[in-house]
Amino acid sequence: MTTVHWFRKGLRLHDNPALLAAVKEGAELRPVFVLDPWFVKHARVGINRWRFLSQALRDLDDSLRKLKSRLFVVRGSPEEVFPALFKKWDVQKITWEIDTEPYAQRRDEKVERLARESGVEVVCRHGHTLYRTEKIIEANLGKAPLTYVSLEKVVSKLGHPPKPVDTLNDLPESCHVRGEAATDVSYDVPSLKELGVEESQLEPCLYPGGETEALARLKIYMERKSWVCKFEKPKTSPTSLQPSTTVLSPYLKFGCLSPRVMYHQLIQIYKGSAHSKPPVSLLGQLLWREFFYTVGAVTPNFDRMEGNTVCRQIPWVRDDKLMDAWTNARTGYPFIDAIMTQLRKEGWIHHLSRHAVACFLTRGDLWQPWEDGMKVFEELLLDADWFLNAGNWMWLSASAFFNSYFRVYSPIAFGKNTDKHGDYIRKYLPQLAKYPENYIYEPWKAPLATQRAAGCIIGQDYPRPIVDHSIVMKRNLDRMAKAYKAGKEKKASSDNQSSPKKKMKK
Ligand code: FAD
């Protein structure tokens, strides 16, 4: 009698209800991760995230081995590998953590059907978000709350999310993996080479993957009680040379860290102390995560503009040259290019840096579709998350959730707020490092002699600005105003059509 626990996200032994449901006296346990070679070849995953995943899997394997078990990394698509494993291991039960991404749901439905056909019991448990998404929707009368304030209201009715379940730190003997299975290298954690990563292309690793690192990082931040209590997101800095927020996002994305563990630790810290409040507090950040997970779960086509019921239809104009310049940090705006360089090198950028480059690419300057920017983030971010990436891109492009489209980030002035001297630019664009402070954000304005003295000629060693911000911003504001007006008119006309009475009244 064997139970398989299928790890996908949820790469952890703490607060893992589905894993606990797999552990039973008298039954064998096979912890499995499925590595689909098709996915390795085709998925939009950059080298930094592959490294993070391989580290997270190694960490999980190490932790399981300490409990006399191991991780079985099985190569193939889930639909192929499971029917074979069910037979080979005489599997009676399979457990997994619920994943609400549409692609994962389709995959899981198929595996569930295959399991049932093989007489295998399927046990799914929730653990990736604070609340079960359905609960929030149910409490909001069957609809997703479309504003943060309404989400807050609903969750305050629900009370605190469930407390974390016990960490798996002991296994009954029947669950130990012995003999050949324990040493079979065909199930080993994949090397970077197997994941298609050329090691020589990797930069030093700033955020190693895995549960051990996640818990250590959480501990460091939670010990800074006064910092936690005073945390206000808008007051953190995008130009800080060390992260000014927690960088727990990659760990939450892969489920190396349970959001409930973080939530309940925050509640403990807040007890009896004055502290910041949502939406700007650290707890408020977890509620932002919850917000996008909830809306995304019930919105068709959440990751695209067409057919997406929460997204405004805006006539973006695709231009490969502009897109390419933004993607490869060659816009000629040092602040934007420094951020895009940090993203590619390190895989994480501050939230307000994400604001700056997303606004620049879409409604601010380049008028490119938010979906294209989202795809670049999807490849390069360590924390790339289907719900959060799409939701935030819609926000920043003023396509959904946020409608003050006239508030545009200046690619010149915004960075100066927190970094007048331009140290952040100097770090990520060393070719500009010798520019004097008054030209570092606008090097094209420097006299040729200054450019020569700084060792970087604009148009030769660093690009000229690809657009003139002051001109395109005005043009784009006009385009946004028209798109908003068209949206309103379309809505009014469809409201009229669907309600003839209302039409008559008018
Ligand atoms: P902290 O400030 O320490 O917050 C703690 C946690 O709260 C984060 O780890 C994250 O899980 C959650 N959180 C914080 N801000 C947000 C937010 N605005 N929306 C949802 N959850 C939030 N975050 C991702 O995790 N994955 C993405 O793919 C992603 N894409 C984004 C795209 C754009 C255009 C923008 C503007 C933001 C995006 N974010 C994304 C949200 C946010 O920028 C990151 O979650 C945050 O910067 C991560 O850093 P941190 O862990 O230090 O955050």
Side-chain angles (χ1 to χ4, degrees):
M1 288 223 300
T2 304
T3 298
V4 164
H5 174 71
W6 182 15
F7 283 102
R8 304 92 64 81
K9 293 169 187 157
L11 301 177
R12 60 174 187 263
L13 301 192
H14 72 274
D15 190 30
N16 192 334
L19 177 62
L20 286 195
V23 177
K24 195 176 159 216
E25 196 85 50
E28 278 190 35
L29 173 70
R30 297 276 158 132
V32 163
F33 182 86
V34 179
L35 182 68
D36 188 341
W38 184 92
F39 191 78
V40 173
K41 232 177 166 177
H42 300 285
R44 218 174 272 124
V45 179
I47 54 177
N48 283 326
R49 195 152 84 253
W50 279 127
R51 171 169 65 183
F52 190 97
L53 174 65
S54 95
Q55 291 165 335
L57 293 176
R58 187 160 305 285
D59 182 61
L60 193 58
D61 186 42
D62 288 347
S63 302
L64 286 164
R65 284 182 192 270
K66 283 182 194 142
L67 305 183
K68 300 197 171 69
S69 178
R70 69 167 294 181
L71 184 66
F72 292 84
V73 180
V74 186
R75 276 81 177 162
S77 75
E79 294 98 303
E80 279 161 17
V81 300
F82 279 121
L85 287 182
F86 293 154
K87 266 198 204 137
K88 187 172 167 189
W89 290 342
D90 186 21
V91 175
Q92 309 261 307
K93 183 158 101 178
I94 179 167
T95 65
W96 66 67
E97 181 185 81
I98 293 167
D99 186 336
T100 53
E101 263 185 57
Y103 138 83
Q105 292 211 313
R106 288 193 295 276
R107 174 198 64 196
D108 293 353
E109 271 166 25
K110 281 188 209 151
V111 174
E112 189 164 352
R113 186 171 42 75
L114 293 168
R116 300 212 190 282
E117 281 166 15
S118 303
V120 175
E121 182 195 356
V122 177
V123 175
C124 306
R125 292 279 187 274
H126 170 263
H128 193 62
T129 45
L130 297 173
Y131 301 87
R132 275 179 38 227
T133 308
E134 306 91 289
K135 264 201 132 181
I136 298 183
I137 291 169
E138 222 175 83
N140 195 45
L141 309 174
K143 283 189 275 170
L146 289 181
T147 63
Y148 187 87
V149 172
S150 54
L151 176 100
E152 254 194 300
K153 270 193 200 143
V154 180
V155 298
S156 71
K157 273 195 264 168
L158 293 175
H160 291 313
K163 288 237 165 85
V165 298
D166 290 342
T167 299
L168 183 71
N169 45 28
D170 199 14
L171 278 175
E173 234 179 86
S174 62
C175 292
H176 295 173
V177 177
R178 296 186 192 80
E180 249 179 57
T183 51
D184 189 341
V185 292
S186 67
Y187 295 121
D188 274 2
V189 170
S191 64
L192 287 175
K193 194 165 168 227
E194 187 179 351
L195 296 173
V197 176
E198 192 68 64
E199 273 191 66
S200 61
Q201 289 177 0
L202 285 165
E203 298 279 337
C205 180
L206 298 181
Y207 313 110
E211 178 183 22
T212 307
E213 182 69 25
L215 293 174
R217 202 170 177 92
L218 179 72
K219 187 164 180 276
I220 289 170
Y221 282 96
M222 295 301 119
E223 279 172 358
R224 296 168 63 187
K225 292 194 169 38
S226 154
W227 181 82
V228 167
C229 288
K230 286 186 190 138
F231 184 95
E232 288 185 31
K233 188 67 164 268
K235 291 190 182 159
T236 60
S237 163
T239 49
S240 161
L241 300 185
Q242 293 303 321
S244 59
T245 55
T246 65
V247 196
L248 286 170
S249 49
Y251 304 94
L252 288 162
K253 178 245 151 65
F254 280 101
C256 301
L257 175 65
S258 152
R260 288 175 186 175
V261 165
M262 183 169 170
Y263 182 100
H264 284 283
Q265 291 196 10
L266 287 170
I267 293 290
Q268 284 308 315
I269 293 171
Y270 291 155
K271 256 189 196 157
S273 308
H275 59 86
S276 53
K277 299 269 158 57
V280 295
S281 61
L282 257 184
L283 192 130
Q285 304 313 301
L286 288 180
L287 293 183
W288 279 116
R289 182 175 183 269
E290 208 68 12
F291 173 70
F292 291 118
Y293 264 84
T294 310
V295 184
V298 291
T299 305
N301 304 306
F302 192 64
D303 64 342
R304 63 194 76 143
M305 183 173 83
E306 264 181 52
N308 177 341
T309 46
V310 298
C311 183
R312 282 190 191 86
Q313 305 299 301
I314 295 173
W316 310 108
V317 182
R318 277 203 167 86
D319 181 323
D320 290 347
K321 213 172 115 221
L322 295 177
M323 191 64 211
D324 194 58
W326 179 84
T327 306
N328 294 301
R330 309 227 7 111
T331 66
Y333 284 95
F335 184 52
I336 300 297
D337 293 342
I339 295 170
M340 293 306 286
T341 305
Q342 185 190 11
L343 172 62
R344 189 170 290 276
K345 278 190 164 186
E346 300 176 0
W348 181 89
I349 49 176
H350 186 274
H351 182 59
L352 294 175
S353 304
R354 300 181 201 213
H355 274 227
V357 294
C359 179
F360 184 86
L361 181 72
T362 56
R363 64 190 168 88
D365 294 74
L366 304 186
W367 200 253
Q368 296 303 293
W370 62 266
E371 293 150 278
D372 294 5
M374 178 192 73
K375 285 176 189 158
V376 173
F377 269 30
E378 186 185 331
E379 181 192 337
L380 299 179
L381 279 173
L382 286 174
D383 61 33
D385 178 300
W386 192 84
F387 292 101
L388 307 193
N389 203 15
N392 278 286
W393 270 97
M394 280 190 264
W395 183 296
L396 261 298
S397 59
S399 300
F401 313 117
F402 169 83
N403 53 20
S404 303
Y405 62 81
F406 39 84
R407 289 205 189 134
V408 174
Y409 291 96
S410 158
I412 298 154
F414 184 49
K416 285 186 192 170
N417 289 337
T418 46
D419 183 20
K420 196 161 165 283
H421 184 56
D423 289 337
Y424 175 78
I425 294 174
R426 292 171 208 279
K427 175 174 177 186
Y428 290 102
L429 301 178
Q431 66 271 45
L432 295 175
K434 293 198 182 123
Y435 264 70
E437 188 178 295
N438 49 338
Y439 293 119
I440 185 83
Y441 284 88
E442 302 171 276
W444 62 91
K445 288 192 176 164
L448 194 56
T450 310
Q451 296 186 20
R452 282 211 182 99
C456 178
I457 308 291
I458 301 307
Q460 185 181 305
D461 306 316
Y462 179 73
R464 288 182 201 292
I466 191 155
V467 289
D468 182 332
H469 173 68
S470 57
I471 294 174
V472 292
M473 186 193 77
K474 287 191 195 114
R475 181 200 61 188
N476 291 348
L477 283 177
D478 195 39
R479 283 165 151 177
M480 283 306 273
K482 284 192 181 122
Y484 267 54
K485 191 164 169 246
K488 267 191 199 146
E489 284 168 2
K490 197 165 169 213
K491 188 170 179 301
S493 124
S494 79
D495 284 353
N496 280 343
Q497 272 167 18
S498 60
S499 155
K501 260 193 196 157
K502 222 164 135 189
K503 200 176 167 186
M504 275 164 60
K505 254 193 198 165
K506 270 194 170 174

